[in-house]
Amino acid sequence: MIRPHRNHPLWFAFIVHRLSGLALVIFLPMHFYVLGMALTNVDQLDSFLQWSNNPVSKAAEFGLVFLLAVHLFGGLRLLVLENFDWRDWQKSLAAASAGLAFVVAGGFLLNVV
Amino acid sequence: MVGANNKPEETDQPEVMIEVSVWRGDAEAGGFRTYHVPSRQSQTVLDIVTYIQRNLDPELTYRFACRVGMCGSCGMTVNGKPRWTCRTHASQVISNGKLTIEPLRNMTKVKDLAVDMTPFFDKWVEAKGAFVPTKTRHDEIEAIKPDSKERRAADAAVECINCGVCYSACDVVAWKPDYLGPAAINRSWTLVNDPRDGAQAERLKVLASDAGCSNCHSHQSCATYCPNLLNPTRSIAGVKRRVMVAALKGEV
């Protein structure tokens, strides 16, 4: 349960950025392992790529693209916050980060369906 | 309705009661005790605590002074959120006729609702929050233009009443107790923008240290809950920029 003092949009923006970063940290070693198959085991890579064409994997890829995009745009938000003059529309920046991430991930999903 | 003597006028209406859970105990142990307090018009959370102490439980310990939002001594955690209780209307925070009142987070409990604020104020000193003059009374008074960028930055941060609400709201303080915290860095930011001050280099070194501004994760809870509507996150972001420039110059 979210503790009451954390119940505001900018804390949610923080936790989304943190959790998406952790999820990407878990994903990247697996990603590089699969990429490495191109050098070490081409047949296994081909069969994995064929298997990954199933709808569940595509849905997971949508989630992955969303995580990447929300972490990218959330990171840009923080760079703006820390390196430029203060803007009072911080909540709008956080909402725009999430919205852009949905647009990017949704675009990916439309492209593969 | 409340009469001139602050007591309810005679009506046929049954008195509306508020169920108030108050944290009782000290640094070692404690728990919630429930009281039933009559609802009043324009009643503040501090009024409720005072009612309990004067009418229901004289051993209840809490801290207050001015009652008008100036002294910063009545900070408490109300329904899980840090607040100044003297300016918080009960009607705005009561949920389903209930209210939970605890001491501020991130400070050691002394007794009941009173916390030890010594580390909070020690950090103001540690963050070089005191003005260091560079002139004597025999020198000309230095002119500070009200519309200069530095003066406006200091103005935006200077009205802090040291209530500890931002410090209590900050998760980074909870995770890393050595962190100077939003209030101390906000105070330092006002002095970083003071061209008359003579301790800028030392102050930036402290702000760049392991306990300094780089700990801030920009949750912005400090700005969300500051009762004076200050924005310590903005001040800390400003300090981060100054520290970055100083680091590039090799000054910190």
Side-chain angles (χ1 to χ4, degrees), chain A residues 5-6 8 11 14 82 84, chain B residues 171 219 221 225 240-241:
Chain A
H5 74 279
R6 295 172 177 165
H8 60 90
W11 196 89
F14 154 77
E82 294 194 350
F84 293 92
Chain B
D171 278 332
H219 298 165
S221 295
Y225 295 109
K240 284 176 177 173
R241 290 196 294 274

Side-chain angles (χ1 to χ4, degrees), chain B residues 14-252:
Chain B
E15 198 164 44
V16 176
M17 303 298 282
I18 310 164
E19 186 180 315
V20 188
S21 296
V22 180
W23 195 91
R24 304 294 311 275
D26 54 26
E28 304 297 320
F32 286 98
R33 195 175 297 174
T34 302
Y35 305 91
H36 292 89
V37 177
S39 177
R40 297 277 186 268
Q41 205 172 35
S42 301
Q43 187 176 29
T44 66
V45 174
L46 184 63
D47 290 338
I48 288 175
V49 176
T50 301
Y51 180 93
I52 293 170
Q53 201 235 27
R54 291 187 181 172
N55 298 283
L56 305 175
D57 193 342
E59 291 188 350
L60 175 64
T61 302
Y62 65 109
R63 187 185 284 130
F64 76 97
C66 75
R67 301 176 66 103
V68 290
M70 292 178 71
C71 72
S73 55
C74 69
M76 298 173 202
T77 304
V78 181
N79 283 355
K81 296 178 180 178
R83 294 184 179 279
W84 56 357
T85 55
C86 70
R87 300 290 296 272
T88 302
H89 276 251
S91 59
Q92 292 173 338
V93 289
I94 286 172
S95 174
N96 297 323
K98 295 180 181 177
L99 204 57
T100 303
I101 306 174
E102 303 165 76
L104 287 177
R105 283 194 330 144
N106 298 338
M107 287 177 262
T108 307
K109 299 174 182 81
V110 176
K111 183 176 178 292
D112 302 338
L113 300 172
V115 292
D116 180 8
M117 297 185 78
T118 308
F120 172 74
F121 288 114
D122 284 348
K123 287 178 180 178
W124 283 55
V125 178
E126 192 184 335
K128 307 271 180 209
F131 175 66
V132 177
T134 49
K135 293 178 184 265
T136 70
R137 68 182 63 188
H138 306 294
D139 296 314
E140 285 283 314
I141 293 174
E142 185 159 337
I144 305 290
K145 288 186 176 177
D147 58 350
S148 68
K149 190 176 181 183
E150 289 78 13
R151 178 69 239 190
R152 282 188 280 118
D155 269 349
V158 83
E159 295 289 347
C160 177
I161 58 169
N162 323 339
C163 62
V165 163
C166 61
Y167 190 82
S168 175
C170 180
D171 278 332
V172 182
V173 173
W175 297 335
K176 185 175 180 181
D178 287 344
Y179 173 44
L180 291 168
I185 298 179
N186 180 72
R187 167 60 188 164
S188 290
W189 172 241
T190 64
L191 293 170
V192 165
N193 283 287
D194 193 335
R196 305 166 303 161
D197 186 274
Q200 298 293 0
E202 296 89 334
R203 185 173 295 110
L204 278 182
K205 280 179 185 163
V206 174
L207 294 172
S209 71
D210 196 39
C213 62
S214 56
N215 289 288
C216 175
H217 288 298
S218 304
H219 298 165
Q220 304 187 51
S221 295
C222 51
T224 301
Y225 295 109
C226 174
N228 260 359
L229 306 180
L230 302 185
N231 190 337
T233 311
R234 175 174 55 194
S235 302
I236 296 168
V239 169
K240 284 176 177 173
R241 290 196 294 274
R242 294 291 179 93
V243 164
M244 184 172 68
V245 171
L248 289 172
K249 290 180 179 174
E251 294 171 357
V252 294

